[in-house]
Amino acid sequence: MLEKQRITILGSTGSIGKSALDVVRHYPDRFEVVGLAAHQNISLLLKQIAEFQPACVAVSDPNALAALRQHDPPTTVLDDDRPLESLATIPVDTVLCAVVGAVGLRPLLAAIDAGNRVAVANKEPFVMAGRLVMERARKRGVEVLPVDSEHNAIFQCIHGHEQSDVACIHLTASGGPFYGRERSALEEVLPEEATKHPTWDMGAKISVDSATLMNKGLEIIEAMWLFDLPAEQIDVVIHPQSIIHSLVEFRDGNILAHLGVTDMKFPILFALTYPERVELPMKRLDLTAMKALTFDVPDFSAFPCLALARQAAITGGTAPAILNAANEEAVSAFCDHRLGFLQISDVVDAVCSMIESSSGYHLEAVLAVDQRAREAAQGVIARYAL
Ligand code: NDP
Ligand code: MG
């Protein structure tokens, strides 16, 4: 009988977390859920505890933690200062990192330091501190498996090839809900429209990032660290059908592409079971039903976030951490109706010019600059609100 794979899911109540538990549901004999972590959604976490019977859970929001305790769930509830980090260090086969934002950095590092293999959807830690994450993983001999669909695609295309043979990576972008619109037509956009993605069903923050194209900018930086390539070798192409999830071009001109349906369960299963290939009883891509696969250049003037992220990637050091923090604050303000859609890039641009980046990349430097960039962003956002 197959030995069960022990997994922990950080962010089990989110879009990726729920998809991962759907995957687990298909394979009750293959996976054992050891740990689950949530932030505020206690009602869903309680259902997940009842169904998957994890040994331990962590809740980062203190009020939500108190509410969970009142239900006296049949599991160990971690209650130290940094419960997600503690959960991430419990020995398992894979920790799936699926919280949203910079808050995922410490738990990701904790999982790596504990020697746990990591499957990473949470891209912001790579943007903030990709060098640090990859160095720690190398030192600890820990595998880092990308879940983000483009990076998962590249991982599969690049496998078995010499890294020095890679000429460039083409990251595909759907273009988001506002693809084809002029900048002037984006003035009045509301959060409800920005979070309606045409091809993927995702959490609010990444949906807004997809609408501004910041998501693709963050993915350039994520790819730099995952595949050890400079920003100049990573290119973005708009592909509205989201069938090709990314492509790798080799120096001899051959290009390998990865195709698939737009469902995160596929990259999640791949990462959890790698290097095995496991059958997923789900709808496959019907090649003959596809009408056209089209490709386009991004519109940098309507979507300035992409250029801002590329610039931060080229500057390097703490510049991407500054960009990421400013963007998180701006997206949060936009979702709360405190900031207009077009002002998201204005805030990021302003903060990137206000705060000088440094070449340091140790954890304290990254966290300090993250904090400074957030404070600066709050100031800029407050001025817009006047
Ligand atoms: P969601 O917003 O749907 O879920 C976020 C998860 O993180 C929830 O479990 C939430 O808990 C938890 N969380 C929120 N804030 C905190 C916090 N301060 N501390 C700890 N946990 C917190 O996001 P997604 O699932 O869409 O995305 C997760 C990550 O994966 C992001 O980094 C995103 O960029 C990346 N990603 C997502 C894809 C997708 O298809 N959704 C595709 C590729 C990458 P709770 O709900 O309990 O409050
Ligand atoms: Mg992606």
Side-chain angles (χ1 to χ4, degrees):
M1 175 158 145
L2 201 70
E3 205 171 304
K4 280 196 175 180
Q5 253 179 284
R6 291 160 51 83
I7 60 167
T8 284
I9 303 176
L10 308 178
S12 66
T13 46
S15 159
I16 292 285
K18 287 187 278 186
S19 291
L21 287 172
D22 268 347
V23 167
V24 169
R25 236 176 237 123
H26 281 296
Y27 300 100
D29 297 334
R30 177 174 277 272
F31 297 110
E32 176 188 344
V33 178
V34 173
L36 294 176
H39 184 51
Q40 287 181 322
N41 192 346
I42 293 312
S43 56
L44 179 56
L45 182 63
L46 281 165
K47 286 187 194 140
Q48 293 177 344
I49 292 169
E51 181 177 357
F52 297 98
Q53 299 171 5
C56 274
V57 297
V59 172
S60 41
D61 181 86
N63 294 330
L65 176 63
L68 179 73
R69 285 206 171 287
Q70 289 199 333
H71 287 88
D72 195 17
T75 178
T76 301
V77 181
L78 299 175
D79 67 354
D80 52 276
D81 284 352
R82 297 197 172 139
L84 263 69
E85 284 164 67
S86 305
L87 190 74
T89 61
I90 295 172
V92 285
D93 293 298
T94 311
V95 174
L96 174 64
C97 298
V99 303
V100 59
V103 288
L105 176 58
R106 281 183 185 275
L108 170 62
L109 292 174
I112 290 171
D113 290 346
N116 283 327
R117 182 169 100 140
V118 288
V120 189
N122 180 204
K123 66 191 77 182
E124 292 87 352
F126 280 118
V127 176
M128 299 168 75
R131 184 191 294 270
L132 182 70
V133 171
M134 295 311 281
E135 262 187 23
R136 290 248 192 132
R138 248 190 312 274
K139 273 199 195 128
R140 196 65 177 79
V142 160
E143 257 178 330
V144 178
L145 296 163
V147 172
D148 205 351
S149 59
E150 296 76 4
H151 305 74
N152 189 271
I154 294 161
F155 184 88
Q156 296 191 47
C157 292
I158 238 170
H159 193 76
H161 296 275
E162 288 297 327
Q163 203 263 2
S164 55
D165 285 338
V166 175
C168 66
I169 279 172
H170 302 280
L171 286 177
T172 51
S174 70
F178 308 132
Y179 170 57
R181 285 206 206 173
E182 304 269 324
R183 187 165 168 80
S184 55
L186 297 172
E187 192 87 52
E188 306 293 328
V189 158
L190 295 170
E192 297 70 34
E193 301 164 76
T195 48
K196 238 183 244 137
H197 196 273
T199 49
W200 294 96
D201 183 13
M202 310 182 287
K205 196 263 176 180
I206 185 176
S207 297
V208 175
D209 284 347
S210 301
T212 61
L213 287 200
M214 180 58 96
N215 183 49
K216 218 41 60 176
L218 302 181
E219 288 183 356
I220 292 176
I221 304 167
E222 184 184 11
M224 285 171 65
W225 298 116
L226 279 168
F227 306 110
D228 197 17
L229 288 170
E232 292 77 5
Q233 278 175 263
I234 304 168
D235 154 57
V236 171
V237 61
I238 304 290
H239 168 52
Q241 297 81 19
S242 299
I243 297 291
I244 296 183
H245 293 152
S246 276
L247 311 92
V248 178
E249 182 169 337
F250 294 91
R251 62 174 166 178
D252 58 6
N254 285 295
I255 299 181
L256 295 186
H258 171 284
L259 285 73
V261 293
T262 50
D263 190 323
M264 290 305 293
K265 289 187 203 77
F266 286 90
I268 291 169
L269 179 70
F270 177 88
L272 289 180
T273 57
Y274 179 80
E276 255 186 273
R277 292 235 178 225
V278 175
E279 205 173 310
L280 190 59
M282 282 187 42
K283 193 168 166 263
R284 303 291 174 101
L285 198 61
D286 180 356
L287 291 171
T288 56
M290 282 194 284
K291 293 292 168 252
L293 298 180
T294 60
F295 303 93
D296 199 356
V297 286
D299 178 348
F300 287 95
S301 63
F303 302 100
C305 282
L306 186 54
L308 290 170
R310 184 177 278 289
Q311 186 50 54
I314 291 166
T315 306
T318 56
I322 296 167
L323 171 104
N324 180 68
N327 182 57
E328 283 191 27
E329 294 299 320
V331 170
S332 164
F334 169 67
C335 288
D336 293 347
H337 299 266
R338 286 185 285 124
L339 192 73
F341 182 77
L342 292 181
Q343 290 159 352
I344 296 175
S345 58
D346 292 343
V347 170
V348 175
D349 195 4
V351 174
C352 288
S353 328
M354 281 160 75
I355 299 195
E356 211 175 316
S357 63
S358 72
S359 58
Y361 67 92
H362 58 274
L363 185 59
E364 286 67 31
V366 169
L367 295 176
V369 85
D370 172 87
Q371 187 55 35
R372 269 200 292 142
R374 281 173 202 276
E375 284 160 15
Q378 289 300 343
V380 179
I381 292 165
R383 282 206 295 280
Y384 276 117
L386 291 177

